[in-house]
Amino acid sequence: MDFPTLFIVPDWIAQHCRIRSVGGVDGSPKPFQMYDWQLRCTAQFYRVREGAQVGELATAFYYRRAQVVAPQKSGKGPWSAGLVAAEAIGPVLFAGWARGGEVYDCRDDGCGCGWVYEYEPGEPMGRPWNQPLIQITATSEDQTDNIYRPLQAMIRDGFLAERMKVGEQFIRLPNDGRIDVVTSSAQSRLGNPVTFVPQDETGIWTEGNKMTKVATTQRRGLGGMQGRSLETTNCWDPSEDSVAQKTAESKQTDIYRYHRTPPKGLSYLNKAERRRIHAFVYAGSSHINLDSIEGEAAELLEKEPAEAERFYGNRIVAGMGAWMQQDQWDARNEPREIPDGTRIVLGFDGSDVDDWTGIRAETLDGYQFTPVYGPDRRPTVWNPAEWEGQVPRLEVDAAMREMFDRYEVMRAYCDPPYWTSEVAAWQAAFGEKRVTEWHTTRPVQMHAACEQLLTDVVKAKTGFRHDGCETTSTHVRNARKAARPMNRYVLRKAAVHQKIDLLVCSVLAHEAATDAVAAGQAKPKRKSKMLIMR
């Protein structure tokens, strides 16, 4: 590791925590030696901030909290249990920088195992909490067992029993510390001060089951005690707006996120490609038998294909009715520079105070991108919440006019609601043949345009590529099919707060590009000849 961290923590866990191999020939408990991915996440979670001072608690660390997204049965539960044990009685707080010769001796903290750890010069040192207060949290008791059961086994089989007394719903620790189990149906302990909170399967924590409130309440309690939290989860359905999704999409930089996503473009429905996906996401979890995983995944695929891919393929995929899976869109990410003067088309979708407004561009050879404008080179995406609650119309107008100045805009398809006056002004400035009102409320035309883009993205050997705009990728993921007569559909949001506006811009831009190519506007310009009369 090229950063300071409490290396003592994984060593302490290996010394004090014992696990048994399930189904192995030798069922005796062995020291918990972490897999590479577990060790990497542990080192990141206990990464110490440069310049940390003795006496600092959470603020001594580089990350305030962490999220680990890993597939079913990969080892999240036992790893979390090991961290809970360390947070309960181990040296998990920053205790200064070693100068050389310092040691951590378990006997100083009342442990009789005799273990001694010698620090290297410059290494951050650790100490235990004085009164640790920990809440293992999940939606149900069965879910908390993912962490609580391996923790109980670690206490029984190792050196932890001397100082940790196990009960049905809690574990008593020295100095009146304790480890509690909290579920959605037993939230009476919420609001209590806490020092560490492992939150399991936050991919199913939603407003509907009241777990979103649980998460925010616990974080307030952690803030008061300068404690930290750890989320572990399978992938989530992006239409549910789970706690895991909020964490993954947060722009805060003091959250450590670990999510090993499989190579893009591999189909989970193809058995050979599914095997490659499993081999990638389960790499390093040596207890996993890929044949066993394949059997479970194949059976779940029969009825819940999206769930199978989330659980075992470690991909964020939507359930039934999704317009396109996000990884299919992301697989076409191939950024490139588009020089001024290039022939392009534009797609514009506008709103006023709720939905977003955006412009997407596409070259006539099938490369789509979000342009930038103005002196600050801002992307042509406007979220009303970032502009005092209303889309800045003068900014949008300036951006649209800059597109016509910088590029050779062949066509601009604009959805006119809320923007009729602006579209009319653009038609007056650039011509009605170049600026067209394109109503997305027409089911026949909208269905055909959506199907055209969908086909050109997912078909084999497609030439369609895009710039990897993260906002557009998210809006693609949020889109669902809203049924219309004659087996047609239009686009709708998965939920009110999940926007799709940049996808609509992409549909309009691709429709404009398709029409421009069909009209012969992609052909090279004919060179003019000058005839000189003698």
Side-chain angles (χ1 to χ4, degrees):
M1 301 292 177
D2 59 354
F3 52 81
T5 185
L6 293 181
F7 289 109
I8 189 175
V9 174
D11 283 6
W12 185 95
I13 291 173
Q15 168 65 21
H16 293 83
C17 300
R18 299 289 189 269
I19 59 173
R20 298 173 184 263
S21 60
V22 178
V25 176
D26 182 5
S28 60
K30 299 289 193 303
F32 182 17
Q33 298 290 343
M34 294 184 184
Y35 297 140
D36 285 348
W37 72 263
Q38 295 170 329
L39 186 59
R40 183 183 303 113
C41 293
T42 303
Q44 291 284 5
F45 189 66
Y46 291 102
R47 178 177 177 178
V48 177
R49 180 176 51 80
E50 299 282 357
Q53 301 292 319
V54 175
E56 292 181 326
L57 300 176
T59 54
F61 294 100
Y62 194 85
Y63 295 109
R64 175 172 49 89
R65 61 190 186 96
Q67 179 189 66
V68 173
V69 183
Q72 194 88 340
K73 308 301 181 185
S74 58
K76 300 188 297 292
W79 174 68
S80 299
L83 263 60
V84 169
E87 289 282 338
I89 57 175
V92 296
L93 295 177
F94 176 68
W97 302 93
R99 297 180 177 178
E102 295 93 338
V103 298
Y104 175 83
D105 191 328
C106 271
R107 289 171 294 189
D108 294 338
D109 291 320
C111 177
C113 76
W115 183 67
V116 176
Y117 180 91
E118 184 174 352
Y119 293 104
E120 297 289 336
E123 182 180 352
M125 299 182 291
R127 69 173 179 86
W129 284 93
N130 293 326
Q131 187 183 34
L133 301 167
I134 300 171
Q135 291 182 344
I136 298 173
T137 313
T139 56
S140 66
E141 288 187 17
D142 287 344
Q143 202 71 58
T144 58
D145 280 347
N146 289 341
I147 299 174
Y148 199 58
R149 288 182 65 183
L151 177 61
Q152 289 174 311
M154 289 175 180
I155 294 172
R156 278 196 313 268
D157 294 335
F159 297 102
L160 303 176
E162 298 177 8
R163 308 180 66 211
M164 301 172 70
K165 307 303 178 185
V166 179
E168 283 289 329
Q169 293 294 320
F170 71 95
I171 296 171
R172 195 175 301 280
L173 304 174
N175 300 327
D176 292 326
R178 59 187 287 153
I179 301 171
D180 287 311
V181 172
V182 176
T183 67
S184 58
S185 59
Q187 302 179 18
S188 58
R189 298 184 185 92
L190 289 181
N192 291 348
V194 280
T195 59
F196 181 59
V197 177
Q199 300 171 325
D200 192 50
E201 287 306 334
T202 53
I204 57 174
W205 290 29
T206 63
E207 294 282 354
N209 58 27
K210 301 180 181 180
M211 293 301 289
T212 300
K213 182 179 179 181
V214 170
T216 54
T217 302
Q218 287 182 323
R219 286 176 198 146
R220 285 198 300 270
L222 288 163
M225 294 291 289
Q226 289 196 58
R228 298 194 296 156
S229 63
L230 169 67
E231 290 183 36
T232 51
T233 186
N234 297 132
C235 284
W236 51 90
D237 184 334
S239 68
E240 295 179 349
D241 195 31
S242 64
V243 168
Q245 181 175 342
K246 288 183 171 72
T247 297
E249 295 177 358
S250 172
K251 295 181 181 179
Q252 300 304 307
T253 58
D254 60 352
I255 304 172
Y256 173 67
R257 303 170 180 89
Y258 177 82
H259 182 182
R260 186 192 295 161
T261 55
K264 300 183 187 302
L266 296 179
S267 171
Y268 200 73
L269 299 179
N270 180 288
K271 185 175 181 180
E273 294 184 8
R274 185 165 64 248
R275 181 79 175 201
R276 290 174 59 189
I277 292 171
H278 290 163
F280 184 90
V281 300
Y282 284 101
S285 296
S286 59
H287 67 286
I288 288 295
N289 182 295
L290 292 183
D291 291 332
S292 176
I293 294 297
E294 167 60 25
E296 294 294 333
E299 183 175 355
L300 188 56
L301 271 170
E302 294 177 357
K303 293 185 177 180
E304 298 289 345
E307 189 170 302
E309 191 165 0
R310 290 195 297 269
F311 281 9
Y312 300 106
N314 212 33
R315 279 178 170 167
I316 301 168
V317 292
M320 299 298 291
W323 177 72
M324 182 192 299
Q325 296 300 344
Q326 187 178 21
D327 69 291
Q328 294 176 313
W329 175 266
D330 290 346
R332 305 306 175 199
N333 177 7
E334 197 175 288
R336 72 182 200 225
E337 291 294 325
I338 303 300
D340 291 357
T342 301
R343 290 182 184 180
I344 65 169
V345 297
L346 302 174
F348 170 79
D349 183 40
S351 68
D352 189 26
V353 297
D354 183 19
D355 290 332
W356 294 16
T357 292
I359 301 171
R360 288 279 282 175
E362 186 169 329
T363 63
L364 300 188
D365 63 350
Y367 176 75
Q368 198 173 99
F369 62 102
T370 299
V372 293
Y373 77 100
D376 297 328
R377 315 316 293 154
R378 295 178 58 91
T380 52
V381 179
W382 297 274
N383 175 4
E386 297 175 356
W387 296 88
E388 299 181 352
Q390 190 168 27
V391 172
R393 291 177 178 264
L394 292 179
E395 293 269 336
V396 177
D397 183 65
M400 181 64 80
R401 292 176 184 275
E402 184 177 327
M403 295 306 104
F404 278 85
D405 289 341
R406 285 177 53 199
Y407 302 103
E408 187 177 357
V409 179
M410 311 304 293
R411 298 177 182 227
Y413 284 1
C414 306
D415 193 19
Y418 305 106
W419 290 81
T420 304
S421 298
E422 286 82 0
V423 173
W426 298 333
Q427 288 177 325
F430 308 114
E432 293 187 11
K433 290 185 177 181
R434 299 174 73 191
V435 179
T436 301
E437 286 192 359
W438 207 101
H439 293 264
T440 59
T441 54
R442 299 173 298 165
V444 175
Q445 290 82 358
M446 189 60 180
H447 170 85
C450 290
E451 283 292 286
Q452 184 66 60
L453 178 57
L454 179 64
T455 299
D456 288 344
V457 170
V458 304
K459 68 184 180 183
K461 299 181 180 179
T462 179
F464 180 88
R465 296 293 184 270
H466 61 75
D467 60 341
C469 171
E470 293 184 4
T471 302
T472 304
S473 178
T474 300
H475 288 200
V476 168
R477 186 186 69 198
N478 292 342
R480 299 293 181 272
K481 297 176 183 178
R484 294 295 183 267
M486 304 296 293
N487 203 30
R488 297 189 179 99
Y489 66 84
V490 294
L491 298 177
R492 67 171 178 86
K493 306 170 191 174
V496 173
H497 60 278
Q498 293 180 297
K499 307 303 181 183
I500 63 171
D501 306 284
L502 267 291
L503 168 58
V504 175
C505 295
S506 292
V507 171
L508 293 177
H510 194 62
E511 182 72 0
T514 302
D515 290 347
V517 171
Q521 292 179 310
K523 295 178 181 179
K525 294 181 180 178
R526 296 180 63 181
K527 295 182 179 179
S528 60
K529 295 182 180 180
M530 181 178 294
L531 184 62
I532 300 176
M533 304 296 292
R534 293 181 181 268

